[in-house]
């Protein structure tokens, strides 16, 4: 989980490596998760299904499988936030932790493909390899092997947050935990970039950095800077994410306000990787034309629905509409004036409300 304003280049804590990544690439300011649940958001990424679909509903689309069929080596390193294993949907290699397995800041075991490897150096009182160190070493090892083969690679890394640790912090403010996570991620990215340079892969590798979802649903009024978290889970604080793309090729766009979401990444990877496979029924659209400066936005609107149907949300231009099953009418917010979604202006803008409703 990453709050929109957690990183330095988005107004948060000091993250020099991430900030440099943003300076060298493109920073998106209206990028959204697939839902407030990381598992749902990861599913939207791997299937290009929008946030209105129910998690796990039938789909034949899969990102890892598509990249593999396009000739890419595929791997996943880190915390897998879905049922099963990434090996089940097209990843050739997997090192990390499955969602059903407790994660520790100093893990005593880790999954390696279908096997479980015990880390003797972390057994008992001995704590030699932190979770971050372990995953960073795996990334370095993978990149070192990748440079020795002619195949291009698609590597997906998910760094576990402190909140996911079974021995995680207790009694600390969520904002303090996210600050620590931002600094952890910054250090992790420094080691990743160093590994890319040392292996000679930096000049031909594209990096995309974001979170799986925003901060968890909290009581109305809980704040993530100016972005609020709501109990229904579809507020800006729950959904809006920082998102950076750095490519060896410099694009004319440095910052983009285009509406984009997790389900846009799958088609972006397909176009960027020149993967010759058309996948019908995708909800996402490639972001490449935006990066080239050819289009200002590819999505007219973004849509989410909680799996239990208790809440729905639509983002269109500067407007955000939220419908709760417990209420008789639609809530409407002007995010350009009210990013915290504090003032319902539906009665003042009936024509906008009409535009937000499904026909």
């Amino acid at each position: 989980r990453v709050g929109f304003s957690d990183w330095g280049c988005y107004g948060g804590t000091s993250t020099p490596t991430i900030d440099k990544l943003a300076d060298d690439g493109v920073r998106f300011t209206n990028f959204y998760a697939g839902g407030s649940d990381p598992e749902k958001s990861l599913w939207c990424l791997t299937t290009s299904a929008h946030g209105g679909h129910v998690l796990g509903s039938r789909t034949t689309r899969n990102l890892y499988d598509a990249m593999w069929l396009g000739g890419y080596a595929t791997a996943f390193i880190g915390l897998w936030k879905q049922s099963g294993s990434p090996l089940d949907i097209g990843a050739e290699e997997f090192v990390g932790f499955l969602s059903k397995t407790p994660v520790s800041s100093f893990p005593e075991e880790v999954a390696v493909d279908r096997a479980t490897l015990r880390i003797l150096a972390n057994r008992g009182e001995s704590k030699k390899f932190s979770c971050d160190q372990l995953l960073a070493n795996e990334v370095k090892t993978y990149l070192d092997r990748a440079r020795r083969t002619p195949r291009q690679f698609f590597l997906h890394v998910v760094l576990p947050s402190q909140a996911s640790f079974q021995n995680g912090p207790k009694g600390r403010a969520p904002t303090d935990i996210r600050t620590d996570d931002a600094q952890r991620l910054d250090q992790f990215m420094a080691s990743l970039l160093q590994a890319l340079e040392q292996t000679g892969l930096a000049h031909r590798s594209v990096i995309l950095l974001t979170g799986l979802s925003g901060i968890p649903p909290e009581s109305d009024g809980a704040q993530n800077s100016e972005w609020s978290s709501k109990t229904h889970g579809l507020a800006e604080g729950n959904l809006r994410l920082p998102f950076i793309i750095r490519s060896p090729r410099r694009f004319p766009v440095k910052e983009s306000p285009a509406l984009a979401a997790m389900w846009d990444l799958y088609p972006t990877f397909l176009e960027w990787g020149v993967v010759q496979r058309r996948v019908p029924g995708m909800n996402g659209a490639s972001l490449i034309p935006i990066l080239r400066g050819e289009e200002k936005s590819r999505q007219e609107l973004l849509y989410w629905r909680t799996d239990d149907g208790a809440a729905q949300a639509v983002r269109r231009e500067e407007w955000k509409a939220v419908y709760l099953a417990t209420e008789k009418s639609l809530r409407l917010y002007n995010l350009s004036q009210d990013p915290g979604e504090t003032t319902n202006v539906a009665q003042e803008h009936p024509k906008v409300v009409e535009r937000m409703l499904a026909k």
Side-chain angles (χ1 to χ4, degrees):
R1 294 185 183 276
V2 178
F4 178 79
S5 58
D6 284 356
W7 302 343
C9 51
Y10 284 86
T13 188
S14 175
T15 51
T17 302
I18 294 175
D19 297 350
K20 180 63 165 57
L21 200 71
D23 288 341
D24 294 339
V26 182
R27 189 174 73 102
F28 282 72
T29 57
N30 281 298
F31 184 78
Y32 287 85
S36 60
D37 177 14
E39 181 180 4
K40 172 72 171 286
S41 198
L42 177 59
W43 181 76
C44 291
L45 186 158
T46 57
T47 62
S48 193
H50 65 56
H53 291 280
V54 176
L55 172 65
S57 57
R58 183 176 177 83
T59 176
T60 58
R61 305 182 297 272
N62 183 271
L63 171 60
Y64 304 100
D65 185 53
M67 297 301 287
W68 181 80
L69 289 174
Y72 280 72
T74 54
F76 185 95
I77 295 176
L79 178 59
W80 179 247
K81 297 290 291 185
Q82 278 192 0
S83 60
S85 163
L87 300 173
D88 300 332
I89 60 170
E92 294 176 285
E93 299 183 38
F94 165 54
V95 178
F97 314 95
L98 299 174
S99 58
K100 63 182 179 181
T101 305
V103 185
S104 170
S105 53
F106 287 88
E108 296 186 5
E109 59 183 34
V110 63
V112 179
D113 293 334
R114 300 289 184 183
T116 300
L117 176 68
R118 293 184 177 181
I119 306 173
L120 298 179
N122 284 349
R123 290 272 169 164
E125 298 298 322
S126 178
K127 305 296 180 185
K128 292 186 178 180
F129 296 103
S130 71
C131 179
D132 297 1
Q133 290 174 319
L134 175 69
L135 296 180
N137 288 338
E138 289 299 328
V139 169
K140 292 176 183 178
T141 300
Y142 182 85
L143 294 177
D144 188 58
R145 284 189 283 111
R147 73 182 177 90
R148 304 173 191 273
T149 68
R151 291 180 72 190
Q152 299 180 94
F153 66 88
F154 175 77
L155 173 62
H156 186 184
V157 183
V158 175
L159 187 69
S161 65
Q162 290 189 68
S164 63
F165 292 154
Q166 65 181 46
N167 56 348
K170 297 180 180 179
R172 299 184 62 207
T175 52
D176 293 337
I177 295 173
R178 292 206 314 274
T179 295
D180 288 349
D181 278 340
Q183 294 172 348
R184 286 176 53 224
L185 178 61
D186 196 68
Q187 294 173 2
F188 188 88
M189 291 304 299
S191 66
L192 185 149
L193 293 174
Q194 182 183 45
L196 283 172
E197 291 290 347
Q198 292 174 344
T199 54
L201 296 171
H203 72 286
R204 59 187 182 95
S205 296
V206 176
I207 299 173
L208 295 91
L209 180 64
T210 187
L212 277 179
S213 64
I215 59 178
E218 300 175 12
S219 61
D220 284 7
Q223 296 292 320
N224 166 31
S225 183
E226 61 182 344
W227 316 101
S228 65
S229 170
K230 304 289 187 181
T231 53
H232 56 68
L234 299 183
E236 292 296 286
N238 309 125
L239 297 175
R240 199 184 296 206
L241 297 172
F243 177 44
I244 298 167
I245 298 179
R246 195 200 76 174
S247 165
R249 173 187 173 184
R250 292 298 182 98
F251 289 103
V253 176
K254 296 299 295 178
E255 179 177 293
S256 174
L259 289 183
M262 199 66 69
W263 50 89
D264 293 321
L265 298 188
Y266 185 163
T268 302
F269 288 131
L270 292 188
E271 181 174 352
W272 217 320
V274 197
V275 175
Q276 300 300 316
R277 182 184 180 188
R278 295 185 61 84
V279 183
M282 278 187 172
N283 294 134
S286 171
L287 302 176
I288 303 298
I290 294 174
L291 299 175
R292 292 174 178 160
E294 299 169 358
E295 297 182 16
K296 291 186 177 181
S297 187
R298 304 223 73 192
Q299 296 284 11
E300 181 180 0
L301 60 83
L302 303 176
Y303 173 67
W304 301 266
R305 176 183 181 274
T306 57
D307 286 354
D308 61 3
Q312 300 176 64
V314 175
R315 171 75 199 271
R316 188 171 191 167
E317 298 170 347
E318 73 269 31
W319 301 100
K320 172 85 170 285
V322 176
Y323 176 77
L324 305 181
T326 56
E327 299 181 359
K328 296 182 179 180
S329 59
L330 198 75
R331 298 182 185 182
L332 182 69
Y333 305 102
N334 186 328
L335 296 181
S336 64
Q337 302 173 3
D338 179 26
E341 299 166 275
T342 60
T343 305
N344 180 4
V345 295
Q347 290 187 346
E348 292 91 325
H349 300 278
K351 291 185 178 180
V352 176
V353 171
E354 184 178 354
R355 290 180 61 213
M356 305 297 269
L357 294 173
K359 300 298 183 182

